[in-house]
Structures are given as C-alpha cells and as structure tokens.
Amino acid sequence: MEYKKNDVYSLTITDANMDGDGVGKLDGFPIFVKDTVIGDVAEVKLIKVKKNYGYGRLMKLIQPSKNRVEPRCDVARQCGGCQLQFYSYQEQLRFKENKVKNHLERIGKVTGYQFHPIIGMEEPFHYRNKAQFPIGRNKDGRVIAGFYAGRTHSIIEYKDCVLGSKENKLILEIILKFMEEYQVTPYQETTHTGLVRHVLIRQGYHTGEIMVCMVINGTMLPHAKELVKRLQVLEHITSIMVNCNQEKTNVILGKELITLWGNDFITDFIGDICFRISPLSFFQVNPIQTEQLYQKALQYANLSGKEMVWDLYCGIGTISLFLAQKAKKVYGVEIVEQAIENAKENAKRNQIENVEFFTGKAEEVFPAWYRQNREQADVVVLDPPRKGCEEVLLQTIAEMKVERIVYISCDSATLARDVRILDGMGYRLLEVTPVDMFAQTVHVETVVLIQRK
C-alpha cells in the first residue's frame, strides 16, 4: 500500500525511539509520532513519507495509554525541552533504562555485566539550578522570554518552566518590564541586530544564592543601574552580571564578563565541599542527583587512600575534590582555562592539597604526562562531553595498565562505543548504574565501572 503526505490514520503506538517519539506501524510501515506514548491509540496525520518510514503528527487521542499523564507545563507540546512529560515518571525511568541497555548491547556488543536499577528522583520537577532564556519579540512586537520550539529558533513565550527555579518568573518579569520601559532592544538572530540575547539565571541549591546574567550583543547595558535597583529587591540575589557576546553564533555565552553588582560568582555545595560557580562554569544542573551520581562514582573508584587518580574532563574540579578526600593524589585535566582557575580556587577554599590541575585537551595532556613521567595511575575517571573519548586517550589508559576506570556519560551511545574499544584493549565492563539527572527529558546520565581483565 502507498502512503501519502496528509493522509490520516488510526495508529496504535507500540514502541518509542531514542528521542522519545512514539512508533506505530501501518502494515509493517513504521510511523514516528512526537508527543505519543507507548500504548496510545491515536489519530495521526502523515507529514512526511520516506521510502521505508514516515513521520506523523498527533491530531487526536482515540484511547490514551495507561502510562500517559497530563503534562504540568502549558506549552509541553510546542517547547523542545521536555520530550517525556506525557509519560508517567515510572515509565520515563523504564524508557531510560532500556535506552542505556540497548546502546550497550547493540553498539557496545557487551554482555555479562551487572545492570543496577536507575536512580530516580522523589520530585522530578523544579530541579534545575540553571536556566538560559532567549529574549525576542512576539508577532505584536512585544519583548518576550521563553524557550525555543523543538528543532527551531522560534521562541515559545514562557517564563515559568516546571523544571526550573520558581524565582525565574519574577526575575524575567522585572527584566522584560525594564526593557520595555527603557526601550532596550532584544537581539534578532537573522539580522545580528538588537542588544539582549539571553538571560542566564543560576541558583545555589544549598545556599539559595541567585545569579542573574544578561547576555548582550554589545559591551554595555544601558540604564544598568536601574535594572540592578529593581532586581535587588528580590531575596537571595547576590550577583548581577553582563556577558558580552557579539559573535554571529548559536553559542550562548561570550568570553567577557562585567559585574554590575555583588559577586562575580555564586556558591553551592556538593556534599561537604563548597564550590564557586561563575556564569561560564560547568556545574551539574541537578544538584540533588549530582550527589547520588558522585557517591556512585566514589563507590566504583573503591579508594583506600593510597591511589593515584586522574580525573579527565574535570570542569571546575567537582569530582576531583570529591575523590581527593579518599585518594592519595588526584590530577584533573580540563580544556577551559577559566574552569581550571575555578578548580584551583575551589581546592584552596576547601583546604584540599592533594590535587593538581592541568589546562588542555585531555587526549593531549594525559598521554604527554605519561610519556614524560611513566608513572602509573590506579584509577581514571572519565566524564567526557557527548562525543565521548578520543581513542588516543583510551590507548594511554591501556598502556598505563590502569586497574579501574569510572566512566560518567551523558550519552550512552558514545559510552557504548568507548566500552567496546576498551574491551578490545583488555578491559571489561563490570557494573552500570543510570542516574536520572534530567527528568522529563530523554537524556540520562550513566556511571559505569570498567576493570582491567
């Protein structure tokens, strides 16, 4: 049978892809449908038809799945942020466990490892300590803040994200009113004109401290003193800053920072360790689950106080300092110079002296250090970006005959690829624990223990 664009069918959703889109079949022909849940029976309109599959739009639910819930967010369908908000939370956790298992078995080709249940959240909303709101205009010319619609740069107007801090809405209302009154223009991506690109808000979970950072296409925010005066009335704000980004880029933050009022950082804790966090710092966005993740990493590292540990892709030293409490010596490597400065400050502030930090690419610094010193590490912690690790880095680990590798991954597909490479180098996967750091989304963090054979 030939299927055509704009045809409408009744479709039973029997599966989901890795992006959270439901999948149903018409006589064996797969149709991917966003915003559907396994078990839904839906009226679906075909919007794109390829040779071997098609894409559909949900028009109407005929019979909702028992695993479907009403989303808390008014713009859940339009916004590109929460792909799983229609799923019950237990079903979200099941989806993520299956995603990790499928990647490890299909890409990694590994079996015989111990898979632990995912560590979920008691309250899977309002957990994010960081939010970045694009600023623009709506069709009527009014200045708005919100989020990009899925796979676009069109702004969906929304100030009260159910994943973010409850203070975000009040902060944005003050900023938008200020911009309207003083005719401060929002940035237009297509013409590279206008001033305010984004508003970045960070909040310390344990301290409550709030940072507001205006990202601008310029070097000066007009009437800045008036904005500071208005924001200061809100409780817990300890830092008001400007970030200058005049590049034609999708990258949100530029390199130059200007402090308008207060500190150029906020502080927060992971366990007993205090961290300073700047606008440019990488700091896990879910503080509750970060402690769970790091405790699991510490358990897998199995430190007795005699070990030399390398923390590759160390950021501002969050894991390094956590591990240093139990290790003989920890070395951290990070490509971002500002992050390494923060890491050194954080070590000093917490009086942790058995750590040393290097600026540079992990795949260059670590092999060069080994060639020069020929010292062996006992444990290596890997926490790479989504693209995973460079093979030269994994080769150095194998040459060094490192006993244990603790790999923390934000992309289980590249984790599985690297596990397979390490398997060929004499290592085997022992334990896997997913951690739900990003509830309501398809993203999942995974921590694994890899042992030398």
Side-chain angles (χ1 to χ4, degrees):
M1 183 175 176
E2 187 181 347
Y3 299 103
K4 299 189 297 295
K5 184 179 176 180
N6 296 326
D7 285 351
V8 177
Y9 294 93
S10 172
L11 188 69
T12 300
I13 304 300
T14 55
D15 203 353
N17 68 7
M18 296 300 177
D19 296 323
D21 298 338
V23 185
K25 291 186 177 180
L26 296 169
D27 294 327
F29 186 77
I31 307 292
F32 298 91
V33 189
K34 186 178 172 290
D35 305 321
T36 57
V37 172
I38 296 170
D40 279 345
V41 180
E43 185 179 282
V44 171
K45 182 179 184 178
L46 296 186
I47 55 174
K48 190 184 286 185
V49 179
K50 300 281 191 178
K51 185 179 178 183
N52 297 317
Y53 59 92
Y55 292 95
R57 179 180 291 124
L58 173 64
M59 304 303 288
K60 184 174 72 176
L61 280 173
I62 298 167
Q63 185 181 328
S65 165
K66 65 178 179 11
N67 295 316
R68 174 178 277 275
V69 296
E70 192 64 31
R72 285 199 195 181
C73 175
D74 298 334
V75 295
R77 281 193 71 176
Q78 302 100 298
C79 174
C82 292
Q83 304 88 0
L84 299 182
Q85 210 179 125
F86 299 95
Y87 282 75
S88 69
Y89 188 54
Q90 284 308 308
E91 197 61 22
Q92 289 184 35
L93 296 180
R94 193 175 295 117
F95 170 90
K96 293 179 185 191
E97 284 185 340
N98 289 336
K99 181 176 183 174
V100 174
K101 284 178 185 173
N102 287 341
H103 278 149
L104 286 172
E105 288 162 21
R106 186 169 50 83
I107 300 170
K109 308 291 184 190
V110 287
T111 55
Y113 59 90
Q114 189 174 2
F115 191 96
H116 297 282
I118 188 169
I119 299 172
M121 299 190 69
E122 285 185 27
E123 173 49 51
F125 292 95
H126 295 296
Y127 60 82
R128 285 188 65 97
N129 58 16
K130 174 185 173 185
Q132 297 171 138
F133 295 89
I135 305 296
R137 292 191 191 275
N138 66 4
K139 290 177 182 176
D140 301 326
R142 185 168 48 83
V143 181
I144 60 168
F147 298 98
Y148 291 128
R151 300 182 180 92
T152 76
H153 269 216
S154 300
I155 298 174
I156 304 294
E157 183 178 3
Y158 206 63
K159 300 188 286 288
D160 195 16
C161 173
V162 296
L163 302 191
S165 165
K166 292 174 182 177
E167 284 86 356
N168 291 349
K169 183 181 177 186
L170 293 173
I171 292 166
L172 289 172
E173 284 172 348
I174 288 171
I175 290 170
L176 295 177
K177 189 175 180 185
F178 159 80
M179 288 179 66
E180 291 281 13
E181 283 184 27
Y182 287 90
Q183 298 182 336
V184 177
T185 56
Y187 179 67
Q188 285 186 293
E189 196 174 39
T190 50
T191 59
H192 192 54
T193 57
L195 187 65
V196 180
R197 300 173 76 127
H198 279 79
V199 174
L200 165 67
I201 305 171
R202 303 191 84 145
Q203 184 167 22
Y205 174 75
H206 293 284
T207 62
E209 295 173 7
I210 297 173
M211 168 187 289
V212 179
C213 183
M214 306 285 287
V215 184
I216 63 171
N217 176 38
T219 56
M220 186 191 74
L221 180 68
H223 310 288
K225 286 183 180 178
E226 178 59 30
L227 178 61
V228 167
K229 182 180 168 185
R230 295 183 184 197
L231 287 171
Q232 275 178 298
V233 302
L234 296 179
E235 197 177 1
H236 302 307
I237 290 185
T238 58
S239 171
I240 303 173
M241 301 185 72
V242 164
N243 175 269
C244 303
N245 182 1
Q246 297 181 79
E247 302 292 322
K248 288 185 180 179
T249 176
N250 289 336
V251 176
I252 292 174
L253 294 171
K255 292 179 181 176
E256 186 185 349
L257 292 167
I258 301 165
T259 304
L260 298 180
W261 176 83
N263 299 319
D264 57 1
F265 60 87
I266 57 169
T267 59
D268 205 6
F269 287 84
I270 299 175
D272 296 326
I273 301 173
C274 181
F275 293 93
R276 275 190 180 182
I277 306 157
S278 79
L280 301 175
S281 297
F282 172 78
F283 195 76
Q284 293 280 10
V285 299
N286 186 333
I288 301 165
Q289 294 297 87
T290 296
E291 293 198 21
Q292 298 267 17
L293 180 76
Y294 287 5
Q295 286 292 353
K296 183 58 70 172
L298 189 61
Q299 178 193 326
Y300 283 170
N302 193 25
L303 301 175
S304 65
K306 299 175 182 176
E307 293 84 2
M308 181 194 286
V309 180
W310 278 83
D311 176 15
L312 305 176
Y313 314 96
C314 70
I316 62 170
T318 47
I319 301 177
S320 304
L321 301 184
F322 211 70
L323 296 170
Q325 298 171 101
K326 302 279 187 180
K328 180 181 179 182
K329 177 84 180 200
V330 178
Y331 296 100
V333 183
E334 171 60 50
I335 193 170
V336 181
E337 194 172 340
Q338 175 72 44
I340 288 294
E341 287 175 23
N342 290 156
K344 289 175 180 176
E345 289 165 7
N346 288 325
K348 191 174 179 181
R349 183 172 304 104
N350 291 280
Q351 299 179 318
I352 296 173
E353 296 178 351
N354 59 332
V355 290
E356 190 174 340
F357 294 103
F358 302 98
T359 306
K361 293 181 179 178
E363 62 270 20
E364 293 176 1
V365 172
F366 183 57
W369 186 92
Y370 179 59
R371 282 195 302 271
Q372 184 177 331
N373 296 282
R374 308 309 293 181
E375 280 190 62
Q376 192 170 336
D378 301 293
V379 179
V380 168
V381 177
L382 301 170
D383 189 6
R386 290 195 182 282
K387 66 176 184 176
C389 297
E390 298 287 337
E391 195 161 338
V392 65
L393 184 65
L394 303 179
Q395 284 169 348
T396 304
I397 290 171
E399 277 179 48
M400 200 184 268
K401 297 181 179 175
V402 174
E403 278 300 315
R404 288 187 301 286
I405 303 166
V406 180
Y407 194 136
I408 298 169
S409 168
C410 57
D411 187 328
S412 52
T414 54
L415 166 67
R417 179 202 68 202
D418 290 347
V419 163
R420 189 175 182 183
I421 292 169
L422 284 165
D423 184 73
M425 294 177 175
Y427 286 83
R428 69 189 179 101
L429 179 65
L430 289 187
E431 297 191 43
V432 177
T433 305
V435 181
D436 189 24
M437 300 282 284
F438 313 102
Q440 315 305 325
T441 81
V442 294
H443 303 297
V444 57
E445 204 87 358
T446 311
V447 56
V448 307
L449 172 61
I450 301 166
Q451 186 93 19
R452 196 159 78 91
K453 293 176 187 175

